Amino acid sequence: MNIGLILELAKRDITEKYSGSTLGALWNFIYPLVDIFIFTVIFANLMGSRLPGSSSVYAYGFYLTSGVVAWNAFSNTVSRTATVYLDKKHIITKVKVDLSSFPLYIAISESITFVVTMGVFLFLLLISGYGIKPVILFVPLIYLVQQFFAYSLGFFIGIFVVFIRDLREIVRIVLQFWFWFTPIVYVYDILPEYVKEIMVYNPAFTFIHAYHSVFIYEQSPDLEAILYLFLLSFAILLCAGFTFKKLEKDVRDFI
């Protein structure tokens, strides 16, 4: 693993996306800020959306924001890691890199965006009077497990995307369905009982529900569920590492 190269790739990933524009890398952070503004101000004040059981005007906006910000980091990490070998083949074919650790720069880049966006979200919580409770200290743990799962899943899928190009489109479609199957826009309590029973097998529900517990309900997250997610991520990463070792030569030939 070349740490220097991975950090340099992460830096370029942030700066090159909007290179040539006047604001440059700042656009990476402006878009999430616009989303937060829409969720907290437009939804709360203009659309009158309310969170059941809460008297706060901004509760639903904060519920939506805490879920969407986490989902965006997860979704972007999975989809971009799954296609990184094809998207960056111009680098891989010219520079000798360790392909097993190469996608790490995506997780780092998405994490920087998440930290900045979450910082703005926390600022809004403070100035709105909603407040921040000590349970917020669980957020780094939730995020690390979430991104460990996203990276493991993206890396595993990415090995097969090299051979089956249609998989990159299938991943995007699955993520769309996954988003709506996870209580991010709606609340868990409105779901039918049989859906609630299925929901416990949804890994995204584990970390999204954990963020909602911390930010909205001011409760500690379900640490047992987070531990299961960590173990699942570790198992996927082991499978991905074993598969990659078997197919590494073919992966390099097919890129």
Side-chain angles (χ1 to χ4, degrees):
M1 179 187 301
N2 188 329
I3 297 296
L5 176 61
I6 290 172
L7 293 177
E8 179 61 28
L9 287 169
K11 178 183 173 184
R12 289 188 181 185
D13 189 56
I14 294 173
T15 58
E16 288 183 351
K17 194 172 181 181
Y18 300 101
S19 61
S21 62
T22 303
L23 296 180
L26 286 177
W27 285 111
N28 288 288
F29 310 115
I30 291 175
Y31 281 120
L33 299 185
V34 171
D35 287 340
I36 291 178
F37 175 79
I38 292 172
F39 296 153
T40 56
V41 177
I42 304 297
F43 273 70
N45 291 341
L46 297 185
M47 298 181 65
S49 302
R50 296 291 183 270
L51 188 68
S54 175
S55 58
S56 172
V57 173
Y58 297 106
Y60 178 71
F62 291 152
Y63 176 91
L64 193 56
T65 301
S66 59
V68 169
V69 169
W71 174 265
N72 286 344
F74 167 75
S75 174
N76 289 340
T77 302
V78 172
S79 59
R80 296 183 63 209
T81 301
T83 60
V84 68
Y85 296 135
L86 299 181
D87 295 339
K88 298 299 180 184
K89 63 181 179 182
H90 61 286
I91 296 177
I92 295 171
T93 53
K94 293 178 181 177
V95 181
K96 187 177 181 180
V97 296
D98 176 12
L99 292 185
S100 62
S101 61
F102 182 75
L104 276 174
Y105 83 87
I106 294 173
I108 296 172
S109 171
E110 293 297 334
S111 296
I112 293 171
T113 302
F114 175 85
V115 169
V116 174
T117 309
M118 190 54 71
V120 175
F121 178 49
L122 295 179
F123 177 70
L124 284 176
L125 286 174
L126 285 173
I127 63 173
S128 68
Y130 205 86
I132 298 175
K133 299 296 186 291
V135 288
I136 195 177
L137 295 175
F138 283 109
V139 169
L141 171 66
I142 300 167
Y143 183 74
L144 286 174
V145 175
Q146 162 200 320
Q147 287 302 87
F148 183 35
F149 175 62
Y151 179 79
S152 301
L153 189 60
F155 176 39
F156 189 50
I157 298 171
I159 298 169
F160 298 100
V161 168
V162 174
F163 306 105
I164 309 171
R165 306 298 171 98
D166 287 343
L167 268 180
R168 62 194 306 170
E169 308 304 329
I170 294 173
V171 168
R172 290 171 184 162
I173 292 172
V174 169
L175 285 171
Q176 285 184 355
F177 277 105
W178 201 349
F179 173 82
W180 289 106
F181 184 66
T182 306
I184 298 173
V185 177
Y186 52 88
V187 294
Y188 171 80
D189 292 339
I190 68 169
L191 294 173
E193 286 303 319
Y194 74 94
V195 177
K196 289 181 179 177
E197 293 176 3
I198 299 173
M199 192 61 69
V200 297
Y201 300 104
N202 177 359
F205 172 69
T206 297
F207 62 81
I208 293 295
H209 183 62
Y211 287 110
H212 287 159
S213 297
V214 169
F215 287 114
I216 307 303
Y217 304 112
E218 300 173 353
Q219 299 173 351
S220 299
D222 184 346
L223 294 179
E224 185 176 350
I226 292 176
L227 175 61
Y228 285 141
L229 181 60
F230 173 80
L231 294 175
L232 173 64
S233 307
F234 189 67
I236 294 173
L237 187 62
L238 283 180
C239 289
F242 177 78
T243 305
F244 183 81
K245 188 171 289 186
K246 292 288 184 183
L247 299 176
E248 181 173 2
K249 184 178 180 303
D250 295 326
V251 170
R252 291 185 181 276
D253 290 340
F254 271 76
I255 290 175

